[in-house]
Amino acid sequence: MATTPADRAYECIESVEAAPVQVATDNCGVVTYNFEETQNPGTCANQVVITRRWYAYDLCGNSTEHWQTITVNDTKAPVWTSPLPQDLTLQCGEAVPAAATMKATDNCGQPLDIELSETYLPGSGPNDGNKIVRTWTAEDDCGNSTVHTQTITVGDTQAPVLGNLPAATVNVSCSESVPAVANVTVTDNCQGTIDLQFSEVEIPGTCPNQYSITRTWSAQDDCGNATSFVQTINIS
């Protein structure tokens, strides 16, 4: 017979070539030729061992044979074709984007199973370091898989905002009335408790009718972000 085909290994069943035709000759001229092919499948379409046997014999029972083993085993993971969502850091008031619809391709052209899982990981407080972990997994029929993970961190790094603030510096004479304490307001970008504190300190001058008053408003949110405003009233 002709030269024995070499053993081959492939990733995909579609790459396996057709069995070549073998030709045999005999010194007495009459040859019977046969071909056999068996397949030993694995766990998926692209996992199989193919055994090919060519054999020929003459009228006197003299024979010769060739064997070829073809191994098909898909070991390559799918490849993402969609843009990969990147990690994000958001303020608590910002909207969390919807999960992307991911696409992937496979070296053997098989349909892929693409799944998304989403896990919530709480931070140290209601608005402090909460995380959303999104994991996309693409898997082919042979169990080869590729994974992409996106972590979205939702936190609060913005301090509360004080409103209705009085003038920072006020000068009055001893015959004028000291301004009343302003009704300072506070707002925050996140929901939660805001601790608003007020303090007033009188600082003596060089005589009874010369002194100053320092008024301080301080606000802090649940995540420890703080802001303050100081008003100084000079009496002379």
Side-chain angles (χ1 to χ4, degrees):
M1 281 192 291
T3 303
T4 304
D7 292 344
R8 297 291 181 88
Y10 298 95
E11 286 280 337
C12 309
I13 189 67
E14 63 186 17
S15 301
V16 177
E17 76 281 1
V21 176
Q22 295 283 300
V23 178
T25 59
D26 187 69
N27 61 322
C28 294
V30 179
V31 178
T32 300
Y33 163 81
N34 285 285
F35 169 73
E36 296 175 349
E37 181 176 285
T38 59
Q39 295 190 9
N40 183 19
T43 59
C44 60
N46 291 298
Q47 193 177 71
V48 62
V49 176
I50 301 171
T51 303
R52 290 172 173 172
R53 179 192 179 209
W54 295 265
Y55 64 98
Y57 57 91
D58 61 20
L59 295 176
C60 294
N62 302 303
S63 64
T64 186
E65 62 183 10
H66 287 169
W67 294 83
Q68 181 190 37
T69 300
I70 298 174
T71 303
V72 180
N73 187 23
D74 181 10
T75 61
K76 293 183 179 179
V79 177
W80 297 114
T81 58
S82 302
L84 300 179
Q86 300 302 303
D87 293 346
L88 293 175
T89 298
L90 304 176
Q91 292 297 312
C92 57
E94 295 182 279
V96 176
T101 299
M102 300 289 285
K103 296 181 179 179
T105 185
D106 187 60
N107 62 312
C108 294
Q110 297 293 316
L112 298 175
D113 179 28
I114 300 178
E115 295 186 355
L116 167 67
S117 65
E118 190 170 276
T119 304
Y120 175 76
L121 302 176
S124 58
N127 300 309
D128 190 11
N130 302 312
K131 296 181 185 296
I132 299 171
V133 180
R134 291 170 173 169
T135 302
W136 291 265
T137 303
E139 184 173 338
D140 64 20
D141 289 341
C142 292
N144 303 301
S145 63
T146 186
V147 176
H148 177 71
T149 300
Q150 177 193 39
T151 300
I152 301 174
T153 303
V154 182
D156 180 13
T157 60
Q158 296 182 11
V161 177
L162 296 173
N164 195 33
L165 296 174
T169 303
V170 177
N171 296 312
V172 298
S173 66
C174 61
S175 62
E176 295 178 291
S177 299
V178 174
V181 177
N183 183 25
V184 173
T185 61
V186 62
T187 59
D188 192 57
N189 63 315
C190 299
Q191 294 182 351
T193 303
I194 304 174
D195 182 23
L196 178 61
Q197 299 286 336
F198 170 74
S199 64
E200 183 175 279
V201 177
E202 184 175 311
I203 303 172
T206 58
C207 64
N209 291 315
Q210 188 180 57
Y211 61 99
S212 63
I213 297 172
T214 299
R215 292 171 174 172
T216 303
W217 291 264
S218 300
Q220 180 171 300
D221 63 20
D222 290 333
C223 293
N225 303 302
T227 188
S228 62
F229 175 78
V230 177
Q231 180 189 45
T232 301
I233 303 173
N234 298 310
I235 298 93
S236 62

